[in-house]
Amino acid sequence: MTCNPLGHAARRSLGVVVALCLLATEPATAQPPAPTVNDLVYAKTVSDSGEPIELHLDLWMPLDRSARPRPLVIWVHGGAWLAGSYNAPPPGLRQLLRRGFAVASVQYRLSSQAIAPAQIHDIKGAVRFLRANAARRQLDPERFAVWGASAGGHLAALLATSGGVAESEGDVGGNVDQPSGVQAAVDYFGPTDLLRMQTDVADPPGSAIDHDAPDSPESKLLGFTGPGRGVGVLREAADSRLTEFASEIALAKLMNPIEHVDAHDPPIFIAHGEDDNVVPIEQSVRLAQKLAEAGVPHELQRVAGAGHGFRAMSADVNSAAVDFLAERIGPATQKRRQADAGSAE
């Protein structure tokens, strides 16, 4: 989740907000390799106003063409659910390709096009499409991972934790016979409890956004905007057990990764800057605590001195995230699986 240039706090410091938005979505390399498959349509859907929308993805295949089928990392871009693009190559793309991963960057409907749960429906639709076409694209359908930053981190964590939650599935793109789950996930500084964003703000570092405001990114994602509305109103109603906004509160909880954590979730790597003034680090702490309680393998990297954005993460943290994925879905896991299958015969 990056910044909303129309929010109350954003109007006070527009230059800082725009810089943070760019930082969270900016690719880490100036000249990344071109996609192996560019602008592939994975689904046709509509906006909330009924306008037709095609959803696309870009696919990169690893540099080592000998090891097949390949594990896949699905990249989900940030941008406050308001901006960003699948066309911006994922940060760390070269490192993933060198390690033998295929990488897919997927498009999802922005909150200006459709409110939640459209975004998670789209991401799950992309997973099902890629799994249905795994043989054609030389992908291993049993070794899928997701990696997202900011708003993309939120959706990555939600994808990883919401397996079996019918309301989160949708039918975008069809292929409903295919599972939408993944075998590992990486969440970089993503929101995990939309109703607690403002109350999780610590001072320092403070917050560049009034998350409770009716024009905040979270309020727009939930479609709860306008006078007398906003996420803060929903939190107060939820805490007071009021029923006036029951459906909106239920939607917020549906979109909260921490609501769905259970022992069946895949391993999750979490990284968050301790000086992040856009998404409070307590959001990642909340998720790590839930994962620990459920016994889900996970790792939380608190990055001292780091603010919001992929470039705020150190090279060591980024390498640790890739190592985390390699241990769980990388080429070595395929060899172990083949060896286990051979010994069982």
Side-chain angles (χ1 to χ4, degrees), residues 76 120 146-149 151-161 182 185-187 268:
V76 187
I120 189 61
V146 64
W147 187 341
H154 161 259
L155 292 172
L158 185 58
L159 173 65
T161 59
V182 291
V186 176
D187 164 20
I268 302 179

Side-chain angles (χ1 to χ4, degrees), residues 157-200:
L158 185 58
L159 173 65
T161 59
S162 64
V165 179
E167 295 87 347
S168 73
E169 292 293 331
D171 59 359
V172 172
N175 301 302
V176 293
D177 59 319
Q178 297 292 328
S180 62
V182 291
Q183 284 69 53
V186 176
D187 164 20
Y188 268 23
F189 44 87
T192 65
D193 187 343
L194 301 179
L195 296 180
R196 305 290 166 187
M197 288 281 281
Q198 192 64 30
T199 57
D200 279 349

Side-chain angles (χ1 to χ4, degrees), residues 165-318:
V165 179
E167 295 87 347
S168 73
E169 292 293 331
D171 59 359
V172 172
N175 301 302
V176 293
D177 59 319
Q178 297 292 328
S180 62
V182 291
Q183 284 69 53
V186 176
D187 164 20
Y188 268 23
F189 44 87
T192 65
D193 187 343
L194 301 179
L195 296 180
R196 305 290 166 187
M197 288 281 281
Q198 192 64 30
T199 57
D200 279 349
V201 172
D203 188 14
S207 181
I209 304 174
D210 179 358
H211 297 284
D212 283 351
D215 62 349
S216 74
E218 298 86 1
S219 299
K220 289 185 174 182
L221 176 67
L222 300 175
F224 196 65
T225 59
R229 297 194 162 207
V231 165
V233 174
L234 294 184
R235 183 181 62 255
E236 292 176 1
D239 289 346
S240 302
R241 300 179 182 271
L242 300 178
T243 59
E244 182 180 0
F245 303 116
S247 61
E248 291 86 354
I249 294 170
L251 177 59
K253 291 184 175 182
L254 174 64
M255 296 298 288
N256 280 349
I258 64 168
E259 296 285 344
H260 310 299
V261 172
D262 64 35
H264 302 292
D265 294 338
I268 302 179
F269 181 98
I270 310 165
H272 209 128
E274 292 187 339
D275 290 345
D276 193 328
N277 69 343
V278 178
V279 178
I281 191 173
E282 184 64 22
Q283 291 278 303
S284 286
V285 172
R286 286 178 181 274
L287 178 59
Q289 290 172 340
K290 287 286 188 179
L291 294 171
E293 291 169 5
V296 178
H298 68 284
E299 183 174 342
L300 172 60
Q301 293 258 1
R302 300 176 63 114
V303 187
H308 191 76
F310 195 96
R311 285 193 172 183
M313 301 294 102
S314 69
D316 288 345
V317 172
N318 296 336

Side-chain angles (χ1 to χ4, degrees), residues 7 58 226 336:
D58 288 345
R336 288 199 301 267

